[in-house]
Amino acid sequence: MAANIMEISSLTKNYGKFTALNDVNLNVRPGEIYGFIGPNGAGKTTAIRVLLGILKATKGTATIFGKDVWDDAVEIHKNVAYVPGDVNLWPNLTGGEVIDLFVRLRKGKNKIRKQELIERFEIDPHKKCRTYSKGNRQKVALVAAFASDAELYILDEPTSGLDPLMEKVFQECVLEVQNQGKSVFLSSHILQEVERLCGKVSLIRDGRIIETGTMTELRHLTRTSVSAETERAAEGIEKLAGVHDVRRDGLKLAFAADTKELGSIITFLAGFNVVKLESSPPTLEDLFMSHYENARG
């Protein structure tokens, strides 16, 4: 098996003159939860369809377990669990029958695990799939995925339609498979979910990767929100390196700060006798929006 579970190199997908994926590069290591985020139409689902062997790339290469995703799709799928954001099930089968079918396809044999997941996701497995809501269809797909003995989980907006309690169950399941040494490739619009779960993240926009790194690495590229109150007015802070958008209310002030300059900014504020100081680390949403706004500007 290759050192990386998944390797994508210079991947490009064209539809006529339209480029859906443009020179995409990324690698997923064993035991890694990899986040893949971007706005609607950014190319996330197209990339996943190429990885699943549903679409053939125009240029570049993509491998899973060291095998080509197009030429060896059938073999790859034996060890991959996939959950789409909009699950369609056989209407005349029960949820339990669908779960059993998918688990058998992936050679899963742990009946205790399957039953435990059915209870955690609060599914009635005896109901016909045609009676399920969107959220319950999603639960069936998630149970089928996590009950199987896959090496890689490809999850494309997997919590679409789930309530917050079920989102928490999903996150627990993701961490459990990671603890077993499995890898997860997670495309999600819920940025808090990506922040909580993913060790590494790629941001995609207009078919091109615009940034890749660990959460720590990416946070160095954006700004921290700071609010402070001092005994004396902190005059001159507007001129300090790394300080942006200062707002004052008497002796209280709020501003955005470049993360790398936080140390010198706090030292400066200490000279005015700090009464209160709060900072909020930049979120993945802050990072993405800063890239998005810069691109539009």
Side-chain angles (χ1 to χ4, degrees):
M1 185 177 295
N4 292 312
I5 289 287
M6 179 194 299
E7 294 186 353
I8 298 175
S9 179
S10 302
L11 195 68
T12 299
K13 177 61 181 175
N14 297 327
Y15 294 99
K17 295 182 179 179
F18 175 70
T19 301
L21 295 175
N22 190 347
D23 196 32
V24 171
N25 297 275
L26 61 85
N27 298 317
V28 179
R29 300 192 306 269
E32 183 171 46
I33 304 175
Y34 198 110
F36 192 51
I37 70 165
N40 290 335
K44 303 188 301 299
T45 297
T46 299
I48 287 173
R49 286 175 177 167
V50 170
L51 291 172
L52 293 171
I54 298 171
L55 296 176
K56 188 173 185 179
T58 305
K59 291 191 297 184
T61 62
T63 62
I64 294 176
F65 313 129
K67 303 177 188 298
D68 184 89
V69 295
W70 180 259
D71 294 335
D72 304 308
V74 174
E75 190 65 26
I76 289 169
H77 276 251
K78 293 177 182 177
N79 290 301
V80 171
Y82 167 59
V83 178
D86 191 8
V87 174
N88 292 305
L89 304 173
W90 294 274
N92 290 324
L93 293 182
T94 66
E97 289 170 337
V98 170
I99 292 168
D100 287 340
L101 172 62
F102 281 117
V103 169
R104 283 199 300 271
L105 286 173
R106 302 187 190 109
K107 302 179 181 179
K109 298 178 181 178
N110 192 335
K111 294 182 179 179
I112 296 175
R113 172 66 171 166
K114 181 190 74 173
Q115 187 58 40
E116 174 202 339
L117 288 165
I118 287 172
E119 293 173 3
R120 287 170 68 182
F121 279 100
E122 300 178 1
I123 299 172
D124 182 348
H126 306 294
K127 286 187 174 182
K128 297 286 188 181
C129 291
R130 64 172 175 266
T131 69
Y132 284 145
S133 65
K134 173 176 171 54
N136 281 328
R137 293 196 304 272
Q138 209 69 28
K139 292 178 188 179
V140 168
L142 288 168
V143 169
F146 289 122
S148 62
D149 190 24
E151 291 298 319
L152 172 65
Y153 296 79
I154 297 179
L155 310 175
D156 187 8
E157 304 284 0
T159 57
S160 176
L162 297 189
D163 62 42
L165 180 61
M166 291 299 105
E167 287 177 13
K168 185 173 185 297
V169 173
F170 162 77
Q171 292 167 17
E172 291 169 353
C173 290
V174 169
L175 294 174
E176 287 166 8
V177 297
Q178 182 191 34
N179 288 336
Q180 297 166 11
K182 312 299 180 64
S183 303
V184 179
F185 188 67
L186 172 63
S187 168
S188 177
H189 69 286
I190 303 175
L191 300 179
Q192 297 91 333
E193 185 172 82
V194 175
E195 281 191 296
R196 191 171 294 117
L197 294 173
C198 299
K200 197 169 186 180
V201 177
S202 281
L203 282 66
I204 186 170
R205 185 187 65 238
D206 298 332
R208 186 185 292 274
I209 300 291
I210 58 173
E211 200 67 60
T212 293
T214 65
M215 288 306 306
T216 300
E217 290 167 344
L218 294 184
R219 280 185 174 133
H220 283 298
L221 302 175
T222 190
R223 297 169 182 168
T224 296
S225 297
V226 179
S227 60
E229 183 177 355
T230 53
E231 289 184 355
R232 296 182 293 111
E235 299 295 342
I237 193 169
E238 290 89 347
K239 298 178 181 179
L240 213 60
V243 173
H244 309 270
D245 305 323
V246 176
R247 302 173 301 283
R248 293 181 180 272
D249 181 10
L251 295 175
K252 298 178 182 179
L253 68 157
F255 55 90
D258 292 340
T259 306
K260 64 181 180 180
E261 303 290 351
L262 272 178
S264 59
I265 293 169
I266 292 172
T267 300
F268 177 85
L269 286 172
F272 299 90
N273 298 334
V274 175
V275 175
K276 183 178 180 182
L277 179 66
E278 295 180 351
S279 66
S280 302
T283 65
L284 200 55
E285 185 169 14
D286 295 332
L287 175 65
F288 181 74
M289 289 308 296
S290 68
H291 276 281
Y292 187 59
E293 293 299 329
N294 289 340
R296 292 177 64 184

